[in-house]
Amino acid sequence: MKEDWLLIFDNADDPEIRLLSFFPKVAFGNIIVTTRNAGLEHLAVSVSASIEVLRLDEDAASHLLPQSSRILATEENLHLAQMLVNKFGCLALAIVQVGSYIATRGID
């Protein structure tokens, strides 16, 4: 009996790891690979199975952080947010996760 399953390789960025060797040798199931390594695109079954996550522009990213962290978007906070979002590559998910952390833990 074939059962549906999902295998996730998150942050598979190291080009030295032979990721394909960890894939089950079956014709069913689902695998998600998140990576910044464009060299792993060949693992996708088809081009449509490979999705590139685009970066936000710096201004949009800088405004997303105060919004997701529930802090005021003052000029000073936007300046601090700009420095932080650049460290996270202006990726929306990373920024929202940082914002959520700030919202629950606060900032010192």
Side-chain angles (χ1 to χ4, degrees), residues 89-105:
C90 292
L91 295 169
L93 180 58
I95 293 165
V96 170
Q97 287 176 329
V98 169
S100 177
Y101 180 86
I102 291 170
T104 58
R105 306 285 173 123

Side-chain angles (χ1 to χ4, degrees), residues 1 9 14-15 20 25-26 28 36 47 59 61 70 73 78 87-88 90-91 104-105 108:
M1 180 174 135
F9 295 94
D14 187 346
L20 193 57
K25 308 280 188 264
V26 295
F28 57 93
R36 291 175 287 195
V47 175
D59 188 53
R70 294 183 287 222
L78 289 173
K87 290 191 180 288
F88 291 98
C90 292
L91 295 169
T104 58
R105 306 285 173 123
D108 295 324

Side-chain angles (χ1 to χ4, degrees), residues 58-59 61-63 65-66 71-87:
E58 194 174 278
D59 188 53
S62 296
H63 282 84
L65 184 57
I71 60 174
L72 294 175
T74 64
E75 189 174 322
E76 181 183 4
N77 286 344
L78 289 173
H79 176 70
L80 293 170
Q82 183 179 26
M83 290 189 299
L84 265 177
V85 299
N86 284 319
K87 290 191 180 288

Side-chain angles (χ1 to χ4, degrees), residues 32-54:
I32 294 176
V33 178
T34 66
T35 182
R36 291 175 287 195
N37 182 352
L40 294 178
E41 186 175 9
H42 70 281
L43 297 177
V45 175
S46 68
V47 175
S48 64
S50 175
I51 301 170
E52 180 181 357
V53 178
L54 301 176

Side-chain angles (χ1 to χ4, degrees), residues 4-10 19-20 22-26 28-34 43-45 49:
D4 216 6
W5 49 264
L6 174 64
L7 178 60
I8 300 173
F9 295 94
D10 191 23
L19 200 57
L20 193 57
F22 296 102
F23 283 26
K25 308 280 188 264
V26 295
F28 57 93
N30 301 283
I31 301 172
I32 294 176
V33 178
T34 66
L43 297 177
V45 175

